């Protein structure tokens, strides 16, 4: 009988987000909170506070003057984008215990960061608000694979080896061999973490963006960012071929072919900075 996402997630091994993230989210959503309240929460995690300062001073934001305090960083980045950046940082931390013989975690996160950066750049060209949300979606797109490595290590490894040997899509082999694919598992994990549907659905449908009902644009952006990350070989998702493009979703993204070279140039430039920031402590 095929496994369900709920069964995979019913285990003490499944990482949880730290309480400080939920405190920060509550403060951001509280109309009576101010920058000092949010900064005081960040100050409880000195490593996180230092990283937020580094991000604010990086080429990702290109602010003309040096940002010296967390409060300044929050005002530059914005509270909603701050939430996405904090969540990005914590997601990478909570999965530090994955056995190295199952997956090259450095290559995995580099690929995930590349997808996030690609989604961020595409979102900027689309003039989306809160482009860090798209970075977060790209970072999260393959997170279900880590759950499979934790809970079904032999089957997940077999599916990956079969994908490499047969040059078939990993998502198809996971469905055949495990009964569930990493995209569905990733969305279920985000639901367990009490994260919104606006994150869950694009992760669930990043291989099939046309099936997304509420957030098809977001799913399509992540879909093409994943293609670019694989094509440019930024990090490694472990698969042997570039995912097939969903033609209908390219039209939905609305990115002119003439802009593709600029997107790739910006993606590669931001990628180097993002890798240095987000993998520093891994």
């Amino acid at each position: 009988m095929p496994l369900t996402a709920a069964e995979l997630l019913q285990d003490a091994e499944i990482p949880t987000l730290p309480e400080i993230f939920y405190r920060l989210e509550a403060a951001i959503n509280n109309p009576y909170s101010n920058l000092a309240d949010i900064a005081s929460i960040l100050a409880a995690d000195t490593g996180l506070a230092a990283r937020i300062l580094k991000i604010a001073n990086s080429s990702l934001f290109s602010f003309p003057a040096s940002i010296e305090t967390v409060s300044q960083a929050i005002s530059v980045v914005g509270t909603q984008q701050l939430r996405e950046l904090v969540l990005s940082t914590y997601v990478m931390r909570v999965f530090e215990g994955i056995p190295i013989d199952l997956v090259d975690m450095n290559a995995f996160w580099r690929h995930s960061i590349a997808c996030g950066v690609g989604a961020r750049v595409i979102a900027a060209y689309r003039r989306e608000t809160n482009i860090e949300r798209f970075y977060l979606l790209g970072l999260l797109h393959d997170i279900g694979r880590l759950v499979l490595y934790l809970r079904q290590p032999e089957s997940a490894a077999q599916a990956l080896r079969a994908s490499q040997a047969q040059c078939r899509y990993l998502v198809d082999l996971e469905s055949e061999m495990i009964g569930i694919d990493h995209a569905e598992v990733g969305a279920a994990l985000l639901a367990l973490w009490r994260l919104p549907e606006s994150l869950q659905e694009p992760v669930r449908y990043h291989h099939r963006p046309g099936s997304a009902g509420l957030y098809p644009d977001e799913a399509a952006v992540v879909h093409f960012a994943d293609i670019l990350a694989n094509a440019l070989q930024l990090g490694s998702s472990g698969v042997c071929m570039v995912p097939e493009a969903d033609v209908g979703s390219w039209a939905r993204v609305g990115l002119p072919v003439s802009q593709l070279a600029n997107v790739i140039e910006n993606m590669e430039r931001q990628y180097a900075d993002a890798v240095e920031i987000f993998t520093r402590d891994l």
Side-chain angles (χ1 to χ4, degrees), residues 245-259:
D246 183 293
V247 178
S249 292
W250 175 254
R252 180 175 285 281
V253 168
L255 184 69
V257 174
S258 61
Q259 293 292 335

Side-chain angles (χ1 to χ4, degrees), residues 71-84:
S71 293
Q72 280 183 297
I74 297 169
S75 65
V76 169
V77 173
T79 54
Q80 290 301 320
Q81 297 195 75
L82 172 75
R83 173 189 176 278
E84 319 299 0

Side-chain angles (χ1 to χ4, degrees), residues 118-131 134-135 221:
R120 185 184 194 273
V121 171
I122 294 171
Y125 275 92
R126 285 169 50 90
R127 300 186 184 278
E128 296 280 355
T129 58
N130 190 2
I131 58 175
F134 287 83
Y135 173 81
V221 168

Side-chain angles (χ1 to χ4, degrees), residues 137-202:
L137 284 169
L139 186 77
L140 293 171
H141 78 291
D142 274 346
I143 199 168
R145 289 180 57 188
L146 301 184
V147 176
L148 290 176
Y149 285 128
L150 276 175
R151 298 288 283 113
Q152 292 285 308
E154 293 183 7
S155 297
Q158 287 173 1
L160 180 59
R161 285 195 293 267
S163 172
Q164 294 166 340
Q166 302 171 27
C167 259
R168 291 181 59 196
Y169 293 117
L170 177 62
V171 66
D172 295 334
L173 285 162
E174 288 170 343
S175 295
E176 292 174 15
M177 301 174 71
I178 304 174
I180 191 170
D181 64 60
H182 67 270
E184 184 177 353
V185 174
L189 177 64
L190 301 187
L192 181 70
W193 284 350
R194 309 196 306 274
L195 298 178
E197 185 68 27
S198 59
L199 296 180
Q200 296 174 39
E201 188 182 81

Side-chain angles (χ1 to χ4, degrees), residues 20-52:
I20 190 175
F21 168 74
Y22 296 105
R23 288 175 53 209
L24 181 67
E25 184 172 47
I28 288 172
N29 293 331
N30 184 345
Y32 298 104
S33 294
N34 55 37
L35 291 184
D37 296 328
I38 296 171
S40 68
I41 294 172
L42 286 178
D45 185 333
T46 55
L48 177 64
R51 183 163 297 182
I52 294 302

